[in-house]
Amino acid sequence: MQKTITVSAPGKLLLLGEHSVVYGYPCLVTSVNQRLYLTATLIPDDELQLEAPDVKINGYKKLYKDLGTGEIPKGARFIEHGLANFLRKYPFQGGVRIETKSDFSSQYGFGSSSASTVCLIKAISELNGIHLSKSELFEISYHTLLDVAGKGSGFDIAAAIYGGVLYYVTPGKVIEPIEVTDLSLVVGYTGIKVDTVQVVNEVAQLKTEKPELVHSQFETITTLVEKAKIALIQKNWSEFGRFMNVNQEALDRLGVSSAKLDAMVTAARGAGAFGAKLSGAGRGDCMIALVSSEKKNVVCEAVNAVGGQVIPIQTNVAGVNIEI
Ligand code: PMV
C-alpha cells in the first residue's frame, strides 16, 4: 500500500457575489495559481502529527481518540476536524503525519484553510484506496468548514476542488464551471487580515436592523452576477468590469469596504481598469481589478502608489491535484 502522497489545491478570489452568497444567492469565483501543498504519510501510531509552519504549527501531535477536543491552535483546526470527519466515515488503522506548505500567505484571504482541508481529505482518502467523487470530497470538506468556522458559503471549498472559474450557489447546490480564458486580474493586498466570520456577522446584524436595505443590495448583486456570467462567457470585459463596479457600490452600502480598499479601487479604475472591487469579506484582504494586457502594468503601478501590495496571480487554474 502507498504510504505517502502529496496533493495540491489552488487558492481563490471571489469575482462577484460575496456576502449575498452566504444567503443562497449566486456568486462567481476563480481559482488562482498560488497553491497549497499537503503531504500525508501513514504512520503506525493512532495519532495526528502536523507540521504547518506557514500557520505557525510545528511539532503538533494529537491522539486519534482526542481529535476535535481540547484547546486546538488556530492553524491546526481545519486539519484536525477534517481528519475527525473523515475517520467517522472511513475509519482506518494507524495514524497520519501531515505537512503543509503554501505558495501564498494565509493573510491574503486566498482560502488557505479551505485548500488545506480539501487537500487533507483528498490525500488520506487516496492513501486508503478510496477514490472520492468531487461531490463527496466537497461534502466532507464543507462539513469541516462549518465545524470550525460555524458559517460560510463553501465557495472556497468548491474552487479548491473544481478549479477553473465557477458559478456557485451555496451549499454546493450549483457548482457550474464557466468556460473562460484571458481573465486578467490585478490583485492589490491591503496589508490587513480580516476575520471573515466577524464581517459576515456584522452583515447579519445589519440585515436584522435594516432588512430592506440589505435585501435590495442582495437583489442588485444577484441580477448583476447573472448578467456578468453571460458577459464572462462572451469575454465582454468592459461589461464585466462595469458589473464589478456596481457590485463594489452595493458592498459599500453594506458597509464592508474600507478607505484602503476604496483608494485602490479608485486608483485602478483611474489607470484604465475595466472595473475594480473588493474581493472576499471586505474591510481588508484584497482588491481585484479587471485589466487588458496593455493596461496591466500601469494599473499595478497605480495600486502600488496608494499603498497596495500587488500580488501577481493567474486565474482559472486546475483544482485539487495529486502531485506525487
Ligand atoms: O474572506 P473570504 O475571501 O474567504 O470570502 C468571504 C466571502 C463571504 O461571502 C463574505 C463569506 C462566504 O463564506 O461566502
Side-chain angles (χ1 to χ4, degrees):
M1 191 161 87
Q2 191 182 355
K3 284 242 175 313
T4 297
I5 193 168
T6 298
V7 167
S8 78
K12 54 74 194 166
L13 281 165
L14 252 178
L15 296 171
L16 294 165
E18 43 275 272
H19 287 290
S20 45
V21 68
V22 176
Y23 297 89
Y25 300 97
C27 74
L28 288 166
V29 56
T30 181
S31 53
V32 296
N33 63 334
Q34 304 224 3
R35 301 182 78 84
L36 185 127
Y37 296 83
L38 181 146
T39 300
T41 306
L42 296 176
I43 54 172
D45 298 337
D46 279 3
E47 67 177 14
L48 162 68
Q49 298 178 358
L50 178 60
E51 295 291 338
D54 295 326
V55 286
K56 301 188 177 66
I57 299 291
N58 299 291
Y60 183 76
K61 287 185 180 183
K62 196 84 168 260
L63 293 175
Y64 268 14
K65 67 177 182 50
D66 299 330
L67 282 178
T69 64
E71 233 350 82
I72 308 172
K74 206 166 176 223
R77 284 179 198 156
F78 283 86
I79 296 293
E80 195 169 321
H81 281 279
L83 180 59
N85 283 335
F86 182 82
L87 284 166
R88 258 191 289 280
K89 222 166 169 189
Y90 299 105
F92 63 89
Q93 292 295 312
V96 65
R97 177 179 168 80
I98 302 293
E99 291 158 79
T100 64
K101 195 176 170 345
S102 183
D103 284 340
F104 59 92
S105 161
S106 61
Q107 306 292 300
Y108 293 166
F110 281 5
S112 56
S113 306
S114 295
S116 64
T117 307
V118 166
C119 283
L120 170 82
I121 306 299
K122 177 76 178 172
I124 55 179
S125 56
E126 292 291 330
L127 279 180
N128 284 286
I130 301 158
H131 305 296
L132 297 177
S133 65
K134 284 191 166 91
S135 59
E136 199 179 356
L137 181 55
F138 178 87
E139 200 185 299
I140 302 173
S141 305
Y142 183 53
H143 187 160
T144 302
L145 177 129
L146 293 181
D147 283 348
V148 177
K151 54 180 70 159
S153 65
F155 78 94
D156 37 8
I157 299 274
I161 295 172
Y162 291 79
V165 175
L166 304 173
Y167 171 89
Y168 175 86
V169 180
T170 194
K173 197 166 133 192
V174 184
I175 303 177
E176 184 185 334
I178 307 285
E179 278 304 317
V180 56
T181 49
D182 312 331
L183 177 68
S184 178
L185 296 181
V186 167
V187 179
Y189 177 52
T190 55
I192 301 157
K193 174 67 195 150
V194 163
D195 181 346
T196 298
V197 172
Q198 189 184 321
V199 187
V200 168
N201 285 340
E202 283 168 26
V203 172
Q205 177 70 24
L206 185 70
K207 195 166 170 287
T208 310
E209 287 162 12
K210 297 182 177 169
E212 273 155 34
L213 170 98
V214 173
H215 183 71
S216 74
Q217 302 319 310
F218 284 0
E219 288 293 321
T220 302
I221 294 169
T222 300
T223 307
L224 68 86
V225 167
E226 297 299 347
K227 289 184 178 163
K229 181 182 167 191
I230 296 163
L232 200 56
I233 294 164
Q234 295 173 340
K235 286 197 190 186
N236 188 338
W237 304 128
S238 55
E239 272 288 280
F240 195 84
R242 199 172 62 76
F243 293 130
M244 289 170 77
N245 293 341
V246 180
N247 197 163
Q248 172 64 20
E249 279 170 32
L251 289 163
D252 196 27
R253 282 193 209 103
L254 292 174
V256 297
S257 198
S258 71
K260 187 76 177 272
L261 285 164
D262 290 348
M264 284 198 276
V265 163
T266 307
R269 289 178 192 161
F274 292 117
K277 63 182 277 291
L278 67 86
S279 175
R283 297 274 159 72
D285 289 350
C286 290
M287 178 240 38
I288 55 170
L290 183 68
V291 293
S292 62
S293 50
E294 298 80 51
K295 296 279 183 192
K296 192 162 190 167
N297 284 344
V298 52
V299 172
C300 285
E301 281 161 23
V303 170
N304 214 18
V306 294
Q309 181 191 335
V310 174
I311 305 166
I313 56 113
Q314 275 164 23
T315 57
N316 196 4
V317 302
V320 68
N321 184 40
I322 296 171
E323 300 283 325
I324 40 170

